[in-house]
Amino acid sequence: MLLLEKASHYFSKKLPFALFVKPNQVQLNGVFQNTDELVEFSGQKGFVFSGFYNTKDVVLPFDSCEVIQENWSYEKHYQERIYFSDSEGVEFKNLVQKGINAIVENQFEKVVLSRKIEIPNDTINSIESFKNLVNTYSTAFRYLFYHPQIGLWMGATPEQLVKIKNGEFYTMALAGTQPYSEHIVWGEKEIKEQELVTDFIKNQIEDKVDTIKISDAITHRAGSIVHLKTDISGSIKSSIQPLVLVKALHPTSAVCGMPLQQARSFILEHEGYDRKYYSGYLGEWKGMENSDLFVNLRCCEFLENAVAVYVGCGITKDSIPEHEFIETFNKSRTIVSILVRG
Ligand SMILES: C=C(O[C@@H]1C=C(C(=O)O)C=C[C@H]1O)C(=O)O
């Protein structure tokens, strides 16, 4: 049975699975669990799905799941696309203004605020939409994840949380957003915002690594938008457990803020909805040997009568609420533009 058919079959039987394609690869990976048990993640090798805060962190363990690979061979799906009009964003702009005020009052330096866009869903087809997603965003980590106790999630994320191989690590500081164009020029606000993420990561991991190499910031394309990205790599201290590094990195100030505690408290108190697995992390976990985790961005959750698209943006003292709202709209197109009925 082809992997997408197998996934449909597991979904209809309410059994957990993960499908994923890594950035710049054409191999589709499938992990299928034959029971509906929720195995909580505590370091087992497997496909991990972990939320933003206080969620059940689940793993589909490789040793008890069926793990299958297949070459990606699915065509784009050209059926009727979804047309949908976003809100005016009054609530979100008010939230951003509250964030700016808190920064001006010195409560914190940066906070990432987000919103959930609900698209009414009578007939959106997750498998057909996933085909479009994989075919459209070749440089992203693309996935479809299902667990009966968690739900059905899909995304195409440009952001690596951490890659670990034989004691070496790689991570990135990704922030600053603008629509893709031929001539990209970055403003002060974006440069500063992205530097804060680099500094945050450096501070969080400095005492856990032997060496650390930080690149210059470069422009990184993610579909129809671009970000600023710094590559950060090095070797992990032999005394450090790899999960400790993950816990130090998540949530970075690319999705939460700085200082972490203050920014997170602000999000939990003011954002007004539950992020669940948006801005959490997911991917393959094999400890120090070979792990490949991504931040759950540009993602959506299939609800009974709607598809919820989650989008956020970094707020600093120089933010303009209207611009931030437009930024979340632009980010939401990553998912909204590939959804199809079927
Ligand atoms: C929070 C999101 O994206 C993050 C925030 C960015 C920003 O503020 O410019 C850019 C990339 C991501 O690190 C999101 O896509 O929801």
Side-chain angles (χ1 to χ4, degrees):
M1 197 189 294
L2 292 168
L3 278 190
L4 293 190
E5 282 174 27
K6 192 172 169 88
S8 288
H9 182 61
Y10 269 60
F11 183 68
S12 65
K13 288 201 301 182
K14 293 193 165 38
L15 289 173
F17 69 84
L19 292 175
F20 62 99
V21 182
K22 292 190 179 187
N24 304 309
Q25 292 194 8
V26 289
Q27 180 176 282
L28 172 63
N29 302 278
V31 185
F32 297 90
Q33 186 175 300
N34 284 320
T35 69
D36 63 3
E37 185 191 354
L38 189 147
V39 183
E40 288 211 32
F41 178 56
S42 57
Q44 312 90 314
K45 294 179 182 179
F47 187 90
V48 178
F49 202 67
S50 174
F52 172 65
Y53 184 68
N54 249 350
T55 50
K56 277 187 185 150
D57 298 344
V58 59
V59 61
L60 309 185
F62 289 143
D63 65 2
S64 57
C65 286
E66 215 182 323
V67 181
I68 313 172
Q69 272 110 32
E70 175 186 293
N71 271 335
W72 180 262
S73 60
Y74 303 93
E75 297 289 315
K76 254 193 173 149
H77 189 111
Y78 287 106
Q79 274 190 24
E80 193 192 344
R81 295 285 169 93
I82 309 298
Y83 294 95
F84 147 83
S85 65
D86 199 353
S87 73
E88 306 261 297
V90 179
E91 240 175 87
F92 186 70
K93 287 179 225 167
N94 284 339
L95 172 68
V96 170
Q97 190 58 55
K98 267 192 218 161
I100 298 168
N101 296 348
I103 293 168
V104 172
E105 286 163 15
N106 285 324
Q107 290 183 32
F108 40 77
E109 212 173 336
K110 175 183 175 180
V111 66
V112 179
L113 296 173
S114 69
R115 65 190 179 109
K116 180 167 89 168
I117 303 170
E118 287 205 8
I119 302 169
N121 171 21
D122 28 19
T123 53
I124 295 172
N125 184 315
S126 55
I127 295 281
E128 295 303 324
S129 298
F130 180 63
K131 285 184 192 170
N132 274 345
L133 180 98
V134 173
N135 284 320
T136 309
Y137 305 113
S138 57
T139 61
F141 178 84
R142 295 144 285 173
Y143 78 91
L144 184 67
F145 176 86
Y146 174 68
H147 193 292
Q149 293 182 49
I150 287 173
L152 181 63
W153 286 72
M154 180 177 82
T157 173
E159 186 163 337
Q160 178 114 44
L161 179 70
V162 69
K163 186 172 171 64
I164 299 174
K165 198 165 183 187
N166 302 326
E168 302 284 310
F169 76 94
Y170 165 80
T171 181
M172 61 169 71
L174 193 76
T177 304
Q178 59 175 299
Y180 171 76
S181 71
E182 293 263 310
H183 302 286
I184 303 288
V185 180
W186 291 101
E188 252 326 280
K189 187 238 166 200
E190 281 75 27
I191 292 172
K192 176 85 185 101
E193 183 186 333
Q194 194 269 344
E195 278 173 0
L196 285 178
V197 179
T198 308
D199 291 348
F200 173 92
I201 293 177
K202 190 166 161 263
N203 286 339
Q204 289 294 104
I205 63 174
E206 224 160 20
D207 60 341
K208 299 171 184 65
V209 299
D210 277 330
T211 58
I212 185 162
K213 201 171 124 204
I214 300 178
S215 77
D216 289 336
I218 55 159
T219 297
H220 182 70
R221 186 167 177 185
S224 57
I225 53 181
V226 291
H227 303 299
L228 265 172
K229 181 187 81 159
T230 298
D231 296 314
I232 303 167
S233 59
S235 54
I236 307 168
K237 281 188 176 161
S238 55
S239 57
I240 294 291
Q241 290 297 317
L243 254 192
V244 171
L245 195 70
V246 173
K247 305 269 181 223
L249 283 168
H250 171 74
T252 71
S253 52
V255 297
C256 185
M258 204 170 153
L260 171 65
Q261 310 292 353
Q262 287 86 334
R264 183 162 53 201
S265 301
F266 186 89
I267 290 169
L268 296 175
E269 189 177 338
H270 297 283
E271 219 167 42
Y273 81 102
D274 184 358
R275 287 188 180 193
K276 298 184 190 169
Y277 292 85
Y278 159 66
S279 70
Y281 59 87
L282 76 167
E284 280 176 317
W285 182 256
K286 292 185 198 160
M288 202 61 109
E289 180 192 323
N290 197 356
S291 293
D292 210 0
L293 300 178
F294 293 82
V295 184
N296 198 7
L297 300 177
R298 318 297 143 79
C299 62
C300 66
E301 178 187 14
F302 291 87
L303 304 169
E304 203 158 316
N305 298 309
V307 174
V309 179
Y310 294 84
V311 272
C313 51
I315 309 301
T316 62
K317 66 174 182 15
D318 299 320
S319 288
I320 298 166
E322 179 66 26
H323 293 180
E324 301 298 350
F325 176 70
I326 293 169
E327 182 175 321
T328 57
F329 173 82
N330 291 338
K331 284 175 175 162
S332 74
R333 300 307 301 168
T334 306
I335 292 296
V336 176
S337 67
I338 57 84
L339 294 175
V340 279
R341 299 190 197 283

